[in-house]
Amino acid sequence: MTIKRLVAAILLATGSNSVLAEESFTVQDIQVEGLQRVALGAALNNLPFNIGDTVTDFALSRSIRTLYSAGHFDDIRVYRDGNTVIYRLRERPTINNIEFKGNKDIKEEQLNESLAGNRIQVGEPLDKTILKNIENGLTEFYHGVGKYQAKVEVKVTYLPRNRVNLEFAFEEGDAASVRQINIVGNQIFPNEELLSVVESKQDMPWWRFWTSDRYQKQTLQGDFEKINSYYLDRGYLRFNIDSSQVAVSPDKTAVYVTMNVTEGEQYNISEINFVGDLIGQDEVINAILPLQKGQLYNGALVTFTEESIARFLARFGYANSKVRTIPTIDDDKKEVALTISVDPGKRVYVRRIDIKGNASTKDEVIRRELRQMEGAWLSNDSLELSKERLQRLMYIEKVDFATSPVPGVDDLVDIGFTIKEQPSGSFNAGVSYGSFQGLSFQIGVEQNNFLGSGNSAGINLNTNKYQKSVTLSYTDPYYTLDGISLGGQVFYSDLDYSGTSSNLEAYNRRSYGVGANVGYPINERNRLNFGANVSVNKINQINEYDQLRHFRAVLLDASNPDGGYDFTNFELSTSWMHSTLNRGLFPTAGRMMNLSLRVTTPNSDLQYFKTNFEAQQYVPLSNDHQWSFRAKFELGYGNGYGDKDGYDYTLPFTENFYGGGTNLRGFENRIIGPHAIFRSTSSVPGVPDPIGGSIAFPGDISNDSYQVSQRSIGGNAMAMLTLELITPTPFLKEENRNSVRTSIFVDAGNVWDTEFDINRYANLVQLIASDRDPALIDYSDPSLIRATAGISVQWISPMGPLTFSLAKIIKKYDGDLQENFSFNIGTTF
């Protein structure tokens, strides 16, 4: 082939616009040489002409630019042989592998993401021209975080078949420290006061290892803003940072920062005016306005005012309102007049709400909790309330929402709710171990989100060393569309506290029954529940301790004193719940209060009532809620009403309150509370009987004796307080924060018996059978407070809910048994 002409691409690269007079010709053929990976069709598609078109030599040279723009070639040359156009190409090498070495400050995920934005990724052609820019950009990043000695080098290794490996070699070095920060021009506030509000620290001593003096450019820029705000919040409206300099030491290990400032004088607010449209809410906006005429100007308060008005307008659908404050400064009087401009914009409506992430839960279950409706105006309050209600569900771990404008329309948005579910049930099959119940075997299912319906259903069989029980339950929280719930349960239980490990006085109880409940929502945060229950009970093998005398008197069959106690109760219950908690499990903000009352009807064998009050408050201590404070207070009281055969009804011992274990960590489970007292009567010798013995007769009761049991029987009154500092869990990834909780706690409280009379034993002799027998104390005294402190870790693990507690007893009384370490394991799905 004879080469007729070489088209000078060099002229195009130098930007020459001069073109010699050229003759045009008709392209009869196009040939492409050097293709390996790029298909011939793909290369021809990038040419600005086809076979049969009439072109000039200048058009051929411009086609080189077109081919370069495709991004596949390193070198392009074009030749003409008569009416045949020939392209000789050298393809860019394909990236075979990317490797990073020496990087610590930048994670590989961040690097890969940044490189992908520049089309540097495995399988893509390599454009070597941008590698230098990447090197410079990474070096600039290290300089921005104070590592002035950092170097970044990209090594290219060529492989067969036109492939390359890229190795990014990092030499990060040490960060420069802030050796000194100088503020020049400040007279009102000393350097120490101003530097106390900034994040950058200077020349920290070695023992302040928890505080860093590392220089970072972005941190320093934020510090300038903090100093500026510090002055503006104190009325110095003319404050200004005139200039700033950052000098790097010759060895690049230290920086010196200098700020030149002008403080000015303080200004007071002379007047406050509004312009714009207040959507008819002038009186309300003026009433909530935090700014007042005559007060010192405060920049933070001005910003808060703007945000408050914008949030208020967003309640009425004006989601894109613009609120800005225009100051008019009178330098002579040192006053500033504020004009608040309010532009509500168009009212925004919701076109569609999408739900994502709910793999198990049905859409309708999520939507029934929403208070932002499709077709209604957009309300931030309704969105936040919707999120709050969803996060209170026990089967929802996290909820996020985002609004997106509808393209081409300025008053419509779509809302997307993203749901993260969590285990909503428990599969009690297999073996679990707890420090109280010991080894236990369970089988059963409990589901808070049955088949994704949001309903609770369960069948639970439980057996351990003191209990055998089965319970069937079902609750529909939305039996009606307006949130009225309906539920019921059937149960059977066989309790045997004859062993020593239960810490309870020995008895055996069998019971079965059925119940139903209905709930009614008062508003978004308050709910009433009503229930009815019937239970059939039989108690036998009971140690007849002295506190049972009233219970024994109203139930015991005189003709069958060994027959045990049989009784049937008909219960009515009501409760009120108030909740503003931000989550159902592991909340970090909000409060919860619950007041309940159960009472048996007069036709029951036992007449009593029992009431409980519980209040919890969570106060976040950090913006990310990793630090939070929790206070929990619980009160309980129960007693009998009416009498039978001259004996007053009392609260049956099976309904008593107990302390220890979960509510007083550090004490053994159910050990806190009154202990059983066994009274022994004295006797005097009698007349001889026919077989040589003698018949004893009761003696003077003042000579009776008693023994206090090591076991608790509980009391009819209780008060418990928990103070808890919720802390971040060390070495925990972000995605697991909502399933693990670590806390430092203090528990305090007492269980007592309001019916106990210690004077009944004042003149009697106490028998001490062993050194473990406790001394008698006044079990009616509520001031006998116990207290513990410790640390707790709770984990909703794949194998089940798991709780560890390590506690130290601060205050205890005779008969209280300690349990410094406790744990419990179950199985959930």
Side-chain angles (χ1 to χ4, degrees), residues 30 173 289 594 708 798 814:
I30 300 174
L289 191 68
N594 191 355
V708 179
D814 200 21

Side-chain angles (χ1 to χ4, degrees), residues 688-753:
D689 65 10
I691 59 175
S694 64
I695 300 175
F697 294 95
D700 187 352
I701 60 173
S702 62
N703 294 323
D704 288 356
S705 60
Y706 67 90
Q707 183 178 357
V708 179
S709 172
Q710 300 170 9
R711 297 182 177 186
S712 171
I713 59 172
N716 70 331
M718 173 196 64
M720 295 290 170
L721 174 66
T722 293
L723 302 177
E724 204 160 9
L725 177 63
I726 300 167
T727 68
T729 303
F731 315 113
L732 189 68
K733 294 183 178 179
E734 176 71 20
E735 58 267 23
N736 297 323
R737 275 179 48 192
N738 292 331
S739 59
V740 180
R741 166 160 290 182
T742 302
S743 62
I744 301 170
F745 64 84
V746 173
D747 291 341
N750 187 24
V751 175
W752 67 97
D753 184 358

Side-chain angles (χ1 to χ4, degrees), residues 551-779:
F551 183 78
R552 184 166 52 244
V554 298
L555 280 183
L556 189 63
D557 183 358
S559 62
N560 185 19
D562 297 324
Y565 304 98
D566 296 308
F567 55 97
T568 299
N569 289 333
F570 302 91
E571 287 184 353
L572 298 176
S573 63
T574 183
S575 65
W576 162 72
M577 174 175 283
H578 168 82
S579 177
T580 63
L581 298 178
N582 62 339
R583 280 201 296 269
L585 282 177
F586 293 167
T588 56
R591 65 179 176 274
M592 187 276 290
M593 291 186 288
N594 191 355
L595 177 64
S596 63
L597 171 68
R598 288 192 296 122
V599 59
T600 58
T601 59
N603 61 326
S604 301
D605 290 331
L606 294 175
Q607 297 175 198
Y608 65 89
F609 67 90
K610 188 176 181 180
T611 183
N612 285 79
F613 174 74
E614 179 183 342
Q616 296 190 61
Q617 180 75 49
Y618 289 85
V619 180
L621 303 179
S622 60
N623 291 333
D624 59 3
H625 288 212
Q626 290 199 54
W627 293 84
S628 187
F629 175 75
R630 172 188 179 234
K632 178 183 177 183
F633 180 59
E634 189 175 3
L635 284 175
Y637 177 72
N639 215 328
Y641 69 92
D643 62 83
K644 178 181 179 182
D645 300 331
Y647 288 93
D648 292 334
Y649 284 104
T650 58
L651 184 71
F653 70 95
T654 56
E655 296 289 339
N656 277 348
F657 299 101
Y658 296 91
T662 58
N663 57 4
L664 269 174
R665 290 161 286 190
F667 290 101
E668 287 198 8
N669 199 67
R670 297 191 174 193
I671 196 62
I672 304 301
H675 288 238
I677 300 175
F678 294 92
R679 181 166 176 167
S680 302
T681 59
S682 62
S683 60
V684 296
V687 297
D689 65 10
I691 59 175
S694 64
I695 300 175
F697 294 95
D700 187 352
I701 60 173
S702 62
N703 294 323
D704 288 356
S705 60
Y706 67 90
Q707 183 178 357
V708 179
S709 172
Q710 300 170 9
R711 297 182 177 186
S712 171
I713 59 172
N716 70 331
M718 173 196 64
M720 295 290 170
L721 174 66
T722 293
L723 302 177
E724 204 160 9
L725 177 63
I726 300 167
T727 68
T729 303
F731 315 113
L732 189 68
K733 294 183 178 179
E734 176 71 20
E735 58 267 23
N736 297 323
R737 275 179 48 192
N738 292 331
S739 59
V740 180
R741 166 160 290 182
T742 302
S743 62
I744 301 170
F745 64 84
V746 173
D747 291 341
N750 187 24
V751 175
W752 67 97
D753 184 358
T754 62
E755 301 297 316
F756 181 78
D757 183 10
I758 194 172
N759 294 324
R760 177 178 171 83
Y761 311 97
N763 298 319
L764 307 183
V765 177
Q766 180 177 356
L767 301 178
I768 304 296
S770 72
D771 56 1
R772 294 192 60 190
D773 285 356
L776 179 65
I777 59 177
D778 189 356
Y779 297 132

